[in-house]
Amino acid sequence: MALKNASILVIDDDPDVLTAVRLLLKTEARQVVTEKNPENLRTQLQKQVFDVILLDMNFNSSINTGNEGLFWLKKIREFGSEAAVIMITAYGDIDLAVRSLKEGAADFVVKPWHNEKLIGTIRDAIRKKETEKNSLGSRVLGDSIIGSELIGESELMEDIFYKVEKIAPTDANILIMGENGTGKDLIAKAIHQKSLRADKQFIKVDVGALTETLFESELFGHKKGAFTDAREDRMGRFEAANEGTLFLDEIGNISLHQQAKLLSVLQNRQIIRLGTNQTIPIDIRLVCATNLPLVELANENRFRKDLIYRINTVEIVVPPLRKRLEDIVLLAKHFARIYANKYMKLSNDFDPKALEKLRTYHFPGNVRELQYTIERAVIMSEGDRLRATDLIFSPIESHKEIPDESQELKLSTIEKNTILRVIEKHNGNVSKAAKELGLTRTALYRRLSKYDI
């Protein structure tokens, strides 16, 4: 992110400082918000997301800590903000400013500063934050809106992050597979955000919910009068996504007739609006998702094989939450911080019994169920920690059974045979095989060990 796209919050009780910073940065940054009273920090952070916060070290406030800057630095993190914080300090407080770096501040500037130095410090803080975000692929992928981050540190998620990094810059068609609630749409967004089309449109369509009559109109558009309710010309989703990414969710639920229409468009790279004969060329990056396992998609009575090959240049299989237990607490704490901030609650952490309850639950609704569970718990909590009694799992999901393990064994057999075939193709060269499979060498070795290959 460049400084010109950044949103900056300046907190200082000296109005002259606020004015000077605002005038300096108003032509450099996208937005500059000034705040005189640090007590209003929570309110400001609830209004919007900031990329950088300039925070004074000393305030004439009711909080008598002797180092108010450190106090408010800690509060910024407790409120869930991930902004880069730059401390504003006087010469006499440099020791405290250095301490603030250990407490999580990105940098500090000393009053009075040189304008070029302040701008350079902000730029460096933004650059450092972006670098950290990219290097934390094993932890976070996505943006910081509620529910819009793909988070994980398990080996299974590391493999997915690696695949996303490798395939995103290409225009390869991607098929994302996984149970409901695992975050398939977040992976689709992450692929778009890391692609060469990131500055273009990302259009999502739940094709499984479209009726036969609406399918063509919604995807390809229509001309006024093409059918009874067509009161005006309308652009379809393919046109809307032109030069960007089109995400077709629940692709496994469309009929064979709809599949034929979709295949024709993907082969010819052009659409025809209903009610016209004019072809319109389209340039899209296609990402599809389904909750159906590959063995069901391979059934030609249900899904056209030629369409599978068309949409599945590379596939990503998203594991259910019960297969990535290491990520449960990480996700829970992430959601707790966000919802504690949203609902102005103190409860953004867990007691040991609550964590144990989370670890031992099988989460049939996956990450989506965990998110809503934590949101309810934060709303109902009364203390500064979430307790086991605050965690009430969804009755909507409680009737679900764990998928038949025999089905997973079939998928394991398919994976094992695929690995064997690719290794044989490359005459035992693990590096080349890993590259074709979209895996790291380490991940491939883990699978070789798993299947005793």
Side-chain angles (χ1 to χ4, degrees), residues 95-257:
D95 287 344
L96 281 177
V98 172
R99 182 182 161 192
S100 74
L101 300 181
K102 298 178 182 179
E103 300 288 336
D107 207 336
F108 65 89
V109 291
V110 180
K111 298 176 184 177
W113 59 74
H114 294 291
N115 289 344
E116 294 79 7
K117 171 65 175 175
L118 177 59
I119 292 173
T121 300
I122 295 173
R123 282 204 179 101
D124 289 343
I126 293 172
R127 193 178 300 117
K128 180 181 177 183
K129 198 72 178 176
E130 287 294 299
T131 302
E132 289 176 353
K133 185 176 180 180
N134 291 334
S135 66
L136 285 174
S138 61
R139 287 290 299 268
V140 177
L141 192 59
D143 56 45
S144 57
I145 302 170
I146 290 178
S148 297
E149 281 188 74
L150 190 65
I151 295 177
E153 57 187 9
S154 61
E155 289 186 359
L156 291 171
M157 293 306 294
E158 285 179 3
D159 287 347
I160 287 177
F161 291 134
Y162 174 78
K163 268 192 173 182
V164 169
E165 293 287 347
K166 296 292 287 185
I167 64 181
T170 73
D171 259 353
N173 293 338
I174 311 299
L175 177 61
I176 307 171
M177 308 175 72
E179 296 177 13
N180 289 332
T182 51
K184 298 186 292 295
D185 57 334
L186 302 186
I187 293 176
K189 289 177 184 175
I191 290 170
H192 173 71
Q193 289 165 357
K194 290 181 171 291
S195 75
L196 301 179
R197 300 172 182 259
D199 60 337
K200 304 298 183 181
Q201 291 288 333
F202 175 85
I203 303 295
K204 175 183 175 180
V205 189
D206 185 353
V207 290
L210 297 178
T211 64
E212 289 282 350
T213 53
L214 286 177
F215 183 82
E216 288 187 68
S217 171
E218 192 69 22
L219 292 185
F220 314 138
H222 62 253
K223 187 173 179 61
K224 180 180 179 181
F227 50 88
T228 303
D229 292 326
R231 298 184 177 90
E232 59 185 3
D233 290 355
R234 183 181 178 188
M235 178 188 294
R237 300 300 181 92
F238 271 87
E239 278 186 86
N242 195 43
E243 298 186 349
T245 300
L246 180 64
F247 174 43
L248 301 182
D249 199 8
E250 301 302 343
I251 190 74
N253 294 335
I254 64 176
S255 68
L256 290 171
H257 174 69

Side-chain angles (χ1 to χ4, degrees), residues 345-347 376-383 385-387 390:
K345 293 274 192 170
L346 296 174
S347 47
R376 283 195 301 269
V378 170
I379 291 171
M380 301 304 294
S381 66
E382 295 182 351
R385 281 185 158 198
L386 296 174
R387 301 165 300 170
D390 295 322

Side-chain angles (χ1 to χ4, degrees), residues 290-318:
T290 180
N291 59 4
L292 294 180
L294 189 59
V295 288
E296 288 193 39
L297 285 180
N299 181 353
E300 288 199 78
N301 292 324
R302 178 160 190 172
F303 209 88
R304 295 178 60 117
K305 187 171 289 186
D306 47 1
L307 182 56
I308 291 180
Y309 285 123
R310 180 67 62 175
I311 66 176
N312 186 23
T313 305
V314 181
E315 71 183 44
I316 296 177
V317 181
V318 190

Side-chain angles (χ1 to χ4, degrees), residues 13 48 66-67 95 97 107 133 176 184 200 220 255 259 278 316 326 335 339 349 355 357 366 368 370 374 401 446:
D13 57 2
Q48 67 182 97
N67 47 22
D95 287 344
D107 207 336
K133 185 176 180 180
I176 307 171
K184 298 186 292 295
K200 304 298 183 181
F220 314 138
S255 68
Q259 292 171 33
Q278 181 183 356
I316 296 177
E326 308 97 304
F335 291 133
Y339 288 118
D349 205 349
L355 291 178
K357 187 173 181 177
N366 291 298
R368 184 182 296 132
L370 172 60
I374 300 303
E401 296 181 358
R446 283 200 299 267

